[in-house]
Coordinates of all heavy atoms in Angstrom, one line a residue:
K1 N 53.4 26.2 -81.8 CA 53.3 27.5 -82.3 C 52.5 27.5 -83.6 O 51.7 28.4 -83.8 CB 54.7 28.2 -82.5 CG 55.5 28.4 -81.2 CD 54.8 29.5 -80.3 CE 55.6 29.8 -79.1 NZ 54.9 30.8 -78.2
L2 N 52.7 26.5 -84.4 CA 52.0 26.4 -85.7 C 50.4 26.3 -85.4 O 49.7 27.0 -86.0 CB 52.5 25.2 -86.5 CG 51.6 24.8 -87.7 CD1 51.7 25.9 -88.8 CD2 52.1 23.5 -88.3
I3 N 50.1 25.5 -84.4 CA 48.7 25.3 -84.0 C 48.1 26.7 -83.6 O 47.1 27.1 -84.0 CB 48.5 24.3 -82.9 CG1 49.1 22.9 -83.4 CG2 47.0 24.1 -82.6 CD1 49.4 22.0 -82.2
Q4 N 48.9 27.3 -82.7 CA 48.5 28.5 -82.1 C 48.3 29.6 -83.2 O 47.2 30.3 -83.2 CB 49.6 29.1 -81.1 CG 49.1 30.3 -80.4 CD 50.2 30.7 -79.4 OE1 51.4 31.0 -79.8 NE2 50.0 30.6 -78.1
S5 N 49.2 29.7 -84.1 CA 49.0 30.7 -85.2 C 47.8 30.3 -86.2 O 47.2 31.2 -86.8 CB 50.3 30.8 -86.0 OG 50.6 29.6 -86.8
T6 N 47.5 29.1 -86.3 CA 46.4 28.6 -87.1 C 45.1 29.0 -86.6 O 44.2 29.5 -87.2 CB 46.4 27.1 -87.4 OG1 47.7 26.8 -88.0 CG2 45.3 26.6 -88.3
V7 N 44.9 28.8 -85.3 CA 43.6 29.0 -84.6 C 43.5 30.4 -83.9 O 42.4 30.8 -83.5 CB 43.3 27.9 -83.6 CG1 43.2 26.5 -84.3 CG2 44.1 27.9 -82.4
G8 N 44.6 31.0 -83.7 CA 44.6 32.3 -83.1 C 45.1 32.2 -81.7 O 44.6 31.3 -80.9
E9 N 46.0 33.0 -81.3 CA 46.6 32.9 -79.9 C 45.5 32.9 -78.8 O 45.6 32.2 -77.9 CB 47.6 34.0 -79.7 CG 48.4 33.9 -78.4 CD 49.4 35.0 -78.3 OE1 49.7 35.7 -79.2 OE2 50.0 35.1 -77.2
E10 N 44.5 33.8 -79.0 CA 43.5 33.9 -78.0 C 42.6 32.7 -77.8 O 41.8 32.5 -76.9 CB 42.7 35.1 -78.2 CG 41.8 35.1 -79.4 CD 42.4 35.3 -80.8 OE1 43.7 35.4 -80.9 OE2 41.7 35.3 -81.8
N11 N 42.6 31.8 -78.8 CA 41.7 30.7 -78.8 C 42.4 29.4 -78.5 O 41.8 28.3 -78.3 CB 41.1 30.5 -80.3 CG 40.3 31.7 -80.8 OD1 39.6 32.3 -80.0 ND2 40.5 32.1 -82.0
Y12 N 43.8 29.4 -78.3 CA 44.5 28.2 -78.1 C 44.9 28.1 -76.6 O 45.6 29.0 -76.0 CB 45.9 28.4 -78.9 CG 46.8 27.2 -78.7 CD1 46.6 25.9 -79.2 CD2 48.0 27.4 -78.0 CE1 47.5 24.9 -79.0 CE2 48.9 26.4 -77.9 CZ 48.6 25.0 -78.3 OH 49.5 24.0 -78.1
L13 N 44.4 27.1 -76.0 CA 44.5 26.8 -74.5 C 45.3 25.5 -74.4 O 44.8 24.4 -74.7 CB 43.3 26.8 -73.8 CG 42.3 28.0 -74.0 CD1 41.0 27.8 -73.2 CD2 43.1 29.3 -73.4
E14 N 46.6 25.6 -74.0 CA 47.5 24.4 -73.9 C 47.5 23.8 -72.6 O 47.7 24.5 -71.6 CB 48.9 24.9 -74.4 CG 49.8 23.7 -74.6 CD 51.2 24.3 -75.1 OE1 51.3 24.4 -76.4 OE2 52.0 24.6 -74.3
V15 N 47.2 22.5 -72.5 CA 47.3 21.8 -71.2 C 48.4 20.8 -71.3 O 48.4 19.8 -72.1 CB 45.9 21.0 -70.9 CG1 46.1 20.3 -69.6 CG2 44.8 22.0 -70.9
F16 N 49.5 21.1 -70.5 CA 50.6 20.3 -70.5 C 50.4 19.1 -69.4 O 50.3 19.4 -68.2 CB 51.9 21.1 -70.1 CG 53.1 20.2 -69.8 CD1 53.4 19.1 -70.6 CD2 54.0 20.6 -68.8 CE1 54.5 18.3 -70.3 CE2 55.2 19.9 -68.6 CZ 55.4 18.8 -69.3
V17 N 50.3 17.9 -69.9 CA 50.1 16.8 -69.0 C 51.5 16.3 -68.6 O 52.2 15.6 -69.4 CB 49.3 15.6 -69.7 CG1 49.0 14.5 -68.7 CG2 47.9 16.2 -70.1
D18 N 51.9 16.8 -67.4 CA 53.3 16.6 -66.9 C 53.4 15.3 -66.2 O 52.9 15.2 -65.0 CB 53.7 17.8 -66.1 CG 55.1 17.7 -65.6 OD1 55.9 16.8 -66.1 OD2 55.5 18.5 -64.8
C19 N 54.0 14.2 -66.8 CA 54.1 13.0 -66.2 C 55.6 12.4 -66.5 O 56.0 12.4 -67.6 CB 53.1 12.0 -66.8 SG 53.0 10.4 -65.9
P20 N 56.3 12.0 -65.4 CA 57.6 11.6 -65.7 C 57.7 10.4 -66.7 O 56.8 9.5 -66.7 CB 58.1 11.1 -64.3 CG 57.2 11.8 -63.3 CD 55.9 12.0 -64.0
L21 N 58.7 10.4 -67.4 CA 58.9 9.3 -68.4 C 58.9 7.9 -67.8 O 58.2 7.0 -68.3 CB 60.4 9.4 -69.1 CG 60.7 8.3 -70.1 CD1 59.8 8.3 -71.2 CD2 62.1 8.6 -70.6
E22 N 59.5 7.7 -66.6 CA 59.4 6.4 -66.0 C 58.0 6.0 -65.6 O 57.7 4.7 -65.6 CB 60.3 6.4 -64.7 CG 60.0 7.4 -63.6 CD 60.8 8.7 -63.7 OE1 61.2 9.0 -64.9 OE2 60.9 9.4 -62.8
V23 N 57.2 6.9 -65.2 CA 55.7 6.6 -64.9 C 55.0 6.1 -66.2 O 54.4 5.2 -66.3 CB 55.0 7.7 -64.2 CG1 53.5 7.4 -64.1 CG2 55.7 8.0 -62.9
C24 N 55.2 6.9 -67.3 CA 54.7 6.6 -68.6 C 55.1 5.3 -69.1 O 54.3 4.5 -69.6 CB 55.1 7.7 -69.6 SG 54.4 9.3 -69.2
E25 N 56.4 4.9 -68.8 CA 56.9 3.6 -69.3 C 56.3 2.5 -68.5 O 56.0 1.4 -69.0 CB 58.4 3.6 -69.2 CG 59.1 4.3 -70.3 CD 60.5 3.9 -70.4 OE1 60.8 2.7 -71.0 OE2 61.4 4.6 -70.1
R26 N 56.1 2.8 -67.2 CA 55.4 1.7 -66.3 C 54.1 1.5 -66.8 O 53.6 0.3 -66.8 CB 55.5 2.1 -64.8 CG 56.8 1.8 -64.1 CD 56.6 1.8 -62.7 NE 56.0 2.9 -62.1 CZ 56.6 4.0 -61.7 NH1 57.9 4.1 -61.8 NH2 55.9 5.0 -61.1
R27 N 53.4 2.5 -67.2 CA 52.0 2.3 -67.7 C 52.0 1.6 -69.0 O 51.3 0.6 -69.1 CB 51.3 3.7 -67.8 CG 51.1 4.4 -66.5 CD 50.5 5.8 -66.8 NE 50.3 6.6 -65.6 CZ 50.0 7.9 -65.6 NH1 49.9 8.5 -66.7 NH2 49.7 8.5 -64.4
D28 N 52.7 2.1 -69.9 CA 52.9 1.5 -71.3 C 51.6 0.7 -71.8 O 51.8 -0.4 -72.2 CB 54.2 0.7 -71.3 CG 54.7 0.6 -72.8 OD1 54.3 1.3 -73.6 OD2 55.6 -0.4 -73.0
V29 N 50.5 1.4 -71.7 CA 49.3 0.7 -72.0 C 49.2 0.2 -73.4 O 48.5 -0.8 -73.7 CB 48.0 1.6 -71.7 CG1 47.9 1.9 -70.3 CG2 48.2 2.9 -72.5
K30 N 50.0 0.7 -74.3 CA 50.0 0.4 -75.7 C 51.2 -0.6 -76.1 O 51.3 -1.0 -77.2 CB 49.9 1.5 -76.7 CG 48.7 2.4 -76.4 CD 48.8 3.7 -77.3 CE 47.6 4.6 -76.9 NZ 47.7 6.0 -77.6
G31 N 52.1 -0.7 -75.2 CA 53.3 -1.5 -75.4 C 54.3 -0.8 -76.3 O 55.2 -1.4 -76.8
L32 N 54.2 0.6 -76.4 CA 55.0 1.2 -77.4 C 56.4 1.6 -76.8 O 57.4 1.5 -77.6 CB 54.3 2.6 -77.8 CG 53.0 2.4 -78.4 CD1 52.4 3.8 -78.7 CD2 53.1 1.7 -79.8
Y33 N 56.5 1.8 -75.5 CA 57.9 2.1 -75.0 C 58.7 0.8 -75.1 O 59.9 0.9 -75.4 CB 57.7 2.5 -73.5 CG 57.3 4.0 -73.4 CD1 56.0 4.3 -73.0 CD2 58.2 5.0 -73.6 CE1 55.6 5.6 -72.9 CE2 57.8 6.3 -73.4 CZ 56.4 6.6 -73.1 OH 56.1 8.0 -73.0
E34 N 58.2 -0.3 -74.8 CA 58.9 -1.5 -74.8 C 59.5 -1.8 -76.3 O 60.6 -2.1 -76.5 CB 58.1 -2.7 -74.5 CG 58.8 -4.1 -74.5 CD 57.9 -5.3 -74.1 OE1 56.7 -5.0 -73.8 OE2 58.5 -6.3 -74.1
K35 N 58.6 -1.5 -77.3 CA 59.1 -1.6 -78.7 C 60.1 -0.6 -79.0 O 61.1 -0.9 -79.7 CB 57.8 -1.4 -79.6 CG 56.9 -2.6 -79.6 CD 55.7 -2.3 -80.6 CE 54.8 -3.5 -80.6 NZ 53.6 -3.3 -81.4
A36 N 59.9 0.7 -78.5 CA 61.0 1.7 -78.8 C 62.3 1.3 -78.2 O 63.4 1.6 -78.7 CB 60.4 3.1 -78.3
R37 N 62.3 0.9 -77.0 CA 63.5 0.4 -76.2 C 64.2 -0.7 -77.0 O 65.5 -0.8 -77.0 CB 63.2 0.0 -74.8 CG 62.8 1.1 -73.9 CD 63.9 1.9 -73.5 NE 63.5 3.0 -72.5 CZ 64.2 3.9 -72.2 NH1 65.4 4.2 -72.7 NH2 63.8 4.8 -71.2
K38 N 63.4 -1.5 -77.8 CA 64.0 -2.7 -78.5 C 64.5 -2.2 -79.9 O 64.9 -3.0 -80.7 CB 63.0 -3.8 -78.6 CG 62.8 -4.5 -77.3 CD 61.7 -5.6 -77.4 CE 61.5 -6.4 -76.2 NZ 60.4 -7.4 -76.3

């Protein structure tokens, strides 16, 4: 909402990249989930 109010509601187009947590963890291209779990 802060972003939207800064740039104007009519200019803010939000794309929600909806991917299940388990899929993101399997990808874990940066190794961050493993570190977070530890």
